Amino acid sequence: QVQLVESGGGLVQAGGSLRLSCAASQNIFSFNAMGWYRQAPGKQRELVASITRGISINYAGPVKGRFTISGDSAKNTVYLQMNSLKPEDTAVYYCNADSGIIGLTYWGRGTQVTVSS
């Protein structure tokens, strides 16, 4: 059973930074893709950033230039560095691991990020 555990969320003022971590129970490059999603109150969960096959990186438009996704295979951990945070970044952030097989995708429990204005 794959486990993903997020950490690093918290309360920060607008313009500040946070780094989220997602510790996986197995090698992060054993997955087809790993990514970060977020869900704000009353909104659907949306993709923030992802790494596919350890090579291709994708960012959602609103976070481009401010967020950076990276991975450390030695620590089985994926990071999301978030800079220049805005109140609209407030959400629960979830780590996702996609095996590449239909129906085999894994989620962490999420970590709350709150950005005050």
Side-chain angles (χ1 to χ4, degrees):
Q1 180 70 21
V2 174
Q3 292 186 338
L4 304 173
V5 180
E6 302 99 333
S7 61
L11 174 63
V12 65
Q13 288 188 334
S17 298
L18 284 173
R19 188 178 79 158
L20 305 184
S21 299
C22 171
S25 58
Q26 64 186 62
N27 188 335
I28 59 173
F29 294 119
S30 68
F31 300 107
N32 180 63
M34 290 201 70
W36 288 95
Y37 289 70
R38 67 186 182 187
Q39 187 166 19
K43 295 187 177 181
Q44 289 188 331
R45 192 172 297 188
E46 61 180 6
L47 175 68
V48 176
S50 63
I51 301 178
T52 301
R53 298 179 183 177
I55 299 174
S56 177
I57 293 179
N58 180 51
Y59 295 100
V63 308
K64 280 183 179 178
R66 299 189 297 123
F67 291 11
T68 303
I69 188 171
S70 62
D72 185 337
S73 59
K75 296 182 179 180
N76 290 342
T77 300
V78 175
Y79 303 98
L80 185 68
Q81 178 67 43
M82 306 186 295
N83 298 328
S84 302
L85 282 161
K86 303 176 181 180
E88 51 263 44
D89 294 318
T90 295
V92 178
Y93 283 70
Y94 296 91
C95 182
N96 172 269
D98 180 7
S99 68
I101 300 171
I102 294 175
L104 278 182
T105 186
Y106 307 95
W107 294 93
R109 293 187 176 183
T111 185
Q112 176 71 46
V113 171
T114 303
V115 184
S116 62
S117 58

